[in-house]
Amino acid sequence: MTQPVEDFITLDGGDGLKAVFSPAGAQLVALYIPTRSGGPVQTVIGSSGRLDAPDGDGWAGTICGRYANRIAGAGFTLDGVAYKLPANDGTKQLHGGASGFGHLAWQGEKAGGQVVFRLDSPDGDMGYPGALGVTAAYGFDGHTLFLEMTATTTRPTVVNLTHHVYWNLLGKGDILGHLLQIPASRYTPVDADKIPLGPLAEVVGTRFDFRDKRPIAGPYDHNFVLDAGRGALHLGARAIEPVTGRALEVWTTEPGIQLYTGEHFTPAIKAPFSEQIKNAGFALEPQTFPNAPNEPSYPSAVLRPGETYRHRIEWRFSGF
């Protein structure tokens, strides 16, 4: 199944900002920002806008769930009940499985100056308990693109929704020279399968110390433990393209953020609004921690009936 271009939804933010979305994974396909020279630059990398595109990146630009990132052993225990999930990354489940939210067609429409997507995930979907009702609303507020995600469940379950957009503030080339700052004093070390080892580690004296801005360099595919924790909207990361001065801040209500430097990108990955080379884009994925359902010391990912999961992400642009 492919997603026809006619289904793309465009939202004009004014002042030269414009976003293009697809119901395929509630995907951000393109984001144009103004430049000092006047012409816009397209900053989203690798989003195909289609489902099951054989030449596309299956996660780029999508909302990942029901549980974003990795769950060790493709399973977890909740309230004394063991749940087995279908593995799609070796022995692990990644981003909710082969039919996770980023690989599903959402219902989308323009409403009240926003683009609102909805998805109903049935009880047992990809092994998870509870019927989940999910809403994702994108909109502009000045030079900020925001995403408000909510979910409710009919049974106790685990939820971790994130957005897997890849950015390149220059719009071309690689991103290794972008400057990056992450307000995180700790990170989650991982094993060879990229599963967190449990205890948190200090970033001081390591290549994971982005408390002061420095070039991304890479490679990275790691979760950073934000000093602000979970709760009120807070800064998750700041990126600056040093030649043009264009800047992006990622704000979140979640306690962690995953940095991935696009090691897998090649020209074989096709997208309607960008070209790919290795390290063509960086992903900054706000989230709770990978494998949290199996690590009691990590921030909880449990959602129960009567509660509402809420996660707000803001991408704040400047320098133009």
Side-chain angles (χ1 to χ4, degrees):
M1 178 180 180
T2 59
Q3 192 69 41
V5 173
E6 304 87 74
D7 283 358
F8 286 180
I9 304 171
T10 299
L11 190 64
D12 193 335
D15 294 330
L17 279 87
K18 183 175 70 172
V20 181
F21 305 95
S22 168
Q27 185 176 166
L28 175 60
V29 184
L31 191 285
Y32 296 88
I33 63 173
T35 66
R36 291 171 179 165
S37 61
V41 61
Q42 204 291 103
T43 57
V44 168
I45 302 298
S47 296
S48 71
R50 299 172 292 163
L51 291 177
D52 303 325
D55 56 355
D57 181 305
W59 305 112
T62 68
I63 292 176
C64 296
R66 185 176 299 197
Y67 198 93
N69 217 308
R70 297 165 176 88
I71 294 183
F76 63 93
T77 298
L78 177 61
D79 295 341
V81 179
Y83 295 95
K84 187 62 180 175
L85 314 174
N88 65 320
D89 185 26
T91 61
K92 310 176 292 296
Q93 189 181 87
L94 173 66
H95 295 324
S99 295
F101 293 175
H103 289 168
L104 300 178
W106 296 51
Q107 297 297 316
E109 63 178 354
K110 280 188 178 180
Q114 301 180 4
V115 176
V116 180
F117 291 101
R118 292 181 174 85
L119 181 71
D120 291 321
S121 173
D123 187 11
D125 187 14
M126 286 288 99
Y128 293 92
L132 206 69
V134 187
T135 300
Y138 294 92
F140 281 108
D141 182 5
H143 292 162
T144 295
L145 175 67
F146 64 81
L147 170 61
E148 188 84 32
M149 296 179 286
T150 64
T152 57
T153 183
T154 60
R155 294 174 58 195
T157 192
V158 295
V159 178
N160 179 31
L161 304 181
T162 194
H163 199 276
H164 207 305
V165 61
Y166 291 93
W167 300 104
N168 183 324
L169 297 177
L170 193 59
K172 60 183 179 180
D174 70 53
I175 46 77
L176 300 179
H178 280 56
L179 305 178
L180 182 65
Q181 184 177 14
I182 302 176
S185 301
R186 296 175 296 172
Y187 74 104
T188 49
V190 296
D191 63 17
D193 285 332
K194 300 181 181 177
I195 296 295
L197 297 171
L200 307 180
E202 300 291 325
V203 301
V204 62
T206 75
R207 70 185 189 96
F208 299 98
D209 192 349
F210 284 97
R211 291 173 297 174
D212 293 323
K213 67 178 183 291
R214 61 180 179 83
I216 292 176
Y220 291 95
D221 192 2
H222 295 81
N223 171 64
F224 290 76
V225 179
L226 298 175
D227 293 339
R230 172 185 281 152
L233 193 67
H234 53 271
L235 178 67
R238 177 183 292 110
I240 302 170
E241 200 293 301
V243 176
T244 62
R246 296 171 197 146
L248 164 67
E249 291 185 350
V250 182
W251 289 65
T252 177
T253 51
E254 287 295 89
I257 195 164
Q258 183 92 2
L259 169 64
Y260 175 53
T261 47
E263 303 302 315
H264 71 293
F265 277 138
T266 74
I269 296 177
K270 305 300 181 184
F273 299 108
S274 65
E275 296 180 353
Q276 278 66 251
I277 60 172
K278 185 178 180 180
N279 306 123
F282 60 88
L284 289 164
E285 306 157 59
Q287 58 179 353
T288 192
F289 302 169
N291 202 37
N294 294 312
E295 290 286 353
S297 65
Y298 288 179
S300 175
V302 175
L303 180 69
R304 299 186 182 277
E307 301 174 343
T308 300
Y309 168 94
R310 298 183 186 278
H311 181 191
R312 183 178 176 91
I313 302 173
E314 292 187 358
W315 298 281
R316 302 180 182 183
F317 297 91
S318 61
F320 44 78

